[in-house]
Amino acid sequence: MTARPVIVETAPLSPGQERLVDDEFARPDGSWPEPGEQTRLRPIDTGAVLIDGPLDIRALQRAVSALIVRQHALRTRLHRLADTTPLQLVADSLPDRVHHSRLPGDTQPSREVLLAQSMPRHVDPRSDPLFRTHLIRLGEHRHVLLLQIHHFVSDGWSIGVLYRDLAELYNAARTGRPAELPPLPRTFAAVSRDMRNERRSARLERQLAFWRRRLDQPGTPMAFTHEPVEQDTGRRPVGVQRVHIPAPAVLGLRASARGGARGPLAGPFLAALALLLHHQSAATDIRIGMMISNRARPDTEHLIGYFVNTAVIRLQLHPDLTAAALTEAANKAVRQALEHQALPIQDLKRELHQGADPLYQVTLALNTMRTHTLTLDGVDCQDIDMEETGPRMAPTTIEQRWVIEERAGALSGTLTYQAGTFTLPQIRMALGHLDQAIAAVSAGNPAVAAITSTFRHPGVRTT
């Protein structure tokens, strides 16, 4: 008989977990669903790695077990006290067995085939494991490893940490040597407690004062469509389209930030995105909610956990503004956002009291920090694209959600858009216009009016 897990640590939710529970898990009236009740919570994220070569399955099992011991967030679940206070509970153990299945050797490991082999993707964070692994055998020396982790305990940065830790633990277990990983002096739960204690600290009060000055005048919402869009609080129809920006274009963006091939990327990309949004909506006051890692605190670099926060990047456009000046303004806005990234976005929204008008209608998650992929000694590992595209339902009122990651010098990801606002042909047109905006930002000289006048030409993406 398996012993019940023992709770070894408790903590308040991190600000990110708090937003996730409020936005996707709780009912519209704030109450929590009954066990088994369907929620709006996003399904568990799945990463897939094709492994060619003689995989040491015992070493993989030992590595998964050691990873769960090392990273406390993987053993976390959601709980609510009798007074409705939400908590995260860390157990001393988690089911760590690597699940196994088999497919015929000639099977093409597509996203649909792989997900059909995995356990259900919708989970209840109060009771279901939020991290799990599944090994699918395609042949004697050919496997697919599914790594599934939920947003409640993970963000974009965490995926790189997970791959780095698992690879080193596997390589160490394979040869019997100790794993060479950086120590973790503190747990994600401990950092979450610090975040809660800082909510009314003098430092965050200073950050709040900065954001008040930055956003003192409410912006006019961007008018993407003249058709009324129902603002409900449940799931809404969205479309998901792939985004790919090739490496030469990325190099041009970096160079435009005056940093050469290693220049910062967020500012130039935001400048190009602002040009696109200006063209789509005719707005001159552009606000973009940029996802920020929020790992400026000591001892967080090597932790798995949901730290991410949102900062509002505000850019003012006018016809004579050059692309170079817009990029400089975007770079400055990003620097300031990083200096003031700790204030939870939900606290800022409450303080500003801007009524029904949103702080931003477009979000950008630009991950240029994932330097690790799964690298196992003795085998060849290749990531399998598990991004879901096409129409679906999602718990969001954001008009456009850009999720982009830098891999091998290029930028790849998805654009999720409200299907009630944009059509697929319009989105494909917009991606073509983004290419043109990136080229203009890289050139630096054209003014906003001249740049957007070129958008009248199609520039349609076919993918």
Side-chain angles (χ1 to χ4, degrees):
M1 182 176 179
T2 303
R4 291 176 60 86
V6 176
I7 301 303
V8 295
E9 191 171 13
T10 66
L13 304 187
S14 73
Q17 291 175 321
E18 182 182 280
R19 290 192 300 274
L20 187 68
V21 169
D22 289 344
D23 293 346
E24 299 186 20
F25 183 70
R27 297 182 179 123
D29 64 2
S31 63
W32 280 17
E34 297 296 328
E37 181 180 334
Q38 181 68 34
T39 71
R40 297 167 290 146
L41 199 65
R42 279 171 285 173
I44 198 167
D45 291 329
T46 301
V49 182
L50 179 63
I51 303 174
D52 281 311
L55 179 68
D56 187 332
I57 295 177
R58 290 183 178 178
L60 177 64
Q61 176 63 73
R62 290 197 293 272
V64 169
S65 299
L67 176 68
I68 291 172
V69 170
R70 171 177 167 82
Q71 295 285 355
H72 289 207
L74 301 181
R75 295 182 264 119
T76 297
R77 62 183 175 89
L78 173 65
H79 179 69
R80 186 169 64 169
L81 299 176
D83 65 359
T84 75
T85 301
L87 294 175
Q88 52 178 313
L89 306 181
V90 182
D92 63 342
S93 63
L94 177 79
D96 62 356
R97 183 177 67 85
V98 178
H99 295 268
H100 292 264
S101 62
R102 183 189 299 261
L103 286 171
D106 58 353
T107 301
Q108 292 297 319
S110 66
R111 175 183 180 277
E112 292 71 24
V113 168
L114 295 176
L115 288 180
Q117 292 291 304
S118 69
M119 292 178 286
R121 296 179 66 218
H122 287 277
V123 301
D124 187 328
R126 296 169 295 190
S127 56
D128 296 330
L130 301 180
F131 174 69
R132 59 203 192 191
T133 56
H134 191 126
L135 188 66
I136 303 171
R137 178 185 170 100
L138 301 177
E140 183 179 1
H141 296 310
R142 190 172 174 84
H143 298 81
V144 173
L145 178 63
L146 299 183
L147 298 168
Q148 296 186 303
I149 188 168
H150 200 274
H151 259 313
F152 187 72
V153 294
S154 170
D155 53 21
W157 184 301
S158 297
I159 303 304
V161 175
L162 188 153
Y163 276 41
R164 190 270 322 269
D165 281 13
L166 185 61
E168 172 59 19
L169 290 166
Y170 171 87
N171 297 336
R174 185 170 172 265
T175 59
R177 63 172 174 82
E180 298 177 1
L181 288 171
L184 301 180
R186 306 168 73 229
T187 66
F188 173 63
V191 177
S192 297
R193 285 193 292 272
D194 289 349
M195 289 179 173
R196 174 54 61 101
N197 293 334
E198 292 173 0
R199 294 288 273 270
R200 287 297 177 184
S201 66
R203 182 171 74 94
L204 261 63
E205 287 291 342
R206 289 192 295 270
Q207 293 199 12
L208 176 58
F210 164 81
W211 287 113
R212 280 184 180 137
R213 293 191 300 271
R214 182 73 175 151
L215 304 170
D216 57 348
Q217 296 296 324
T220 302
M222 289 183 283
F224 291 115
T225 177
H226 296 295
E227 297 296 325
V229 178
E230 182 182 354
Q231 297 292 324
D232 59 35
T233 56
R235 291 178 176 269
R236 302 179 66 191
V238 301
V240 184
Q241 185 72 4
R242 294 187 189 280
V243 178
H244 180 76
I245 300 164
V250 176
L251 282 175
L253 282 177
R254 287 194 181 281
S256 73
R258 302 178 184 176
R262 298 180 61 83
L265 192 56
F269 188 88
L270 283 160
L273 182 56
L275 286 168
L276 171 63
L277 297 174
H278 168 65
H279 173 69
Q280 288 181 317
S281 66
T284 57
D285 183 1
I286 304 296
R287 297 183 181 207
I288 300 169
M290 185 176 73
M291 304 297 111
I292 292 186
S293 62
N294 198 21
R295 289 178 181 252
R297 296 168 178 79
D299 305 326
T300 60
E301 179 181 358
H302 305 296
L303 284 176
I304 291 175
Y306 194 34
F307 292 93
V308 70
N309 194 15
T310 305
V312 184
I313 304 298
R314 188 176 194 177
L315 299 172
Q316 304 284 347
L317 277 66
H318 59 80
D320 297 328
L321 183 71
T322 65
L326 176 59
T327 300
E328 185 176 348
N331 284 331
K332 180 180 179 181
V334 170
R335 287 195 301 271
Q336 291 178 332
L338 291 173
E339 292 167 359
H340 301 86
Q341 65 178 292
L343 180 72
I345 187 64
Q346 61 266 42
D347 292 1
L348 177 61
K349 289 178 178 178
R350 281 194 295 266
E351 290 288 339
L352 292 180
H353 299 299
Q354 293 195 356
D357 289 340
L359 272 180
Y360 47 83
Q361 298 158 266
V362 174
T363 63
L364 169 66
L366 179 61
N367 185 3
T368 61
M369 299 300 294
R370 182 180 166 186
T371 57
H372 299 284
T373 188
L374 197 63
T375 306
L376 306 182
D377 290 346
V379 296
D380 179 66
C381 295
Q382 181 180 346
D383 289 340
I384 297 175
D385 186 1
M386 296 293 284
E387 293 285 0
E388 180 183 7
T389 59
R392 58 186 176 89
M393 302 296 289
T396 181
T397 57
I398 295 296
E399 297 284 2
Q400 295 180 11
R401 179 173 177 260
W402 300 76
V403 179
I404 309 292
E405 183 174 85
E406 185 175 18
R407 302 296 294 275
L411 294 177
S412 297
T414 57
L415 166 59
T416 301
Y417 58 93
Q418 292 291 338
T421 305
F422 303 97
T423 65
L424 181 56
Q426 287 174 328
I427 290 298
R428 287 176 172 164
M429 183 80 73
L431 292 175
H433 290 157
L434 180 64
D435 292 338
Q436 295 173 267
I438 287 172
V441 167
S442 299
N445 292 323
V448 168
I451 295 168
T452 55
S453 68
T454 66
F455 291 176
R456 297 192 184 98
H457 301 289
V460 179
R461 287 274 188 97
T462 58
T463 59

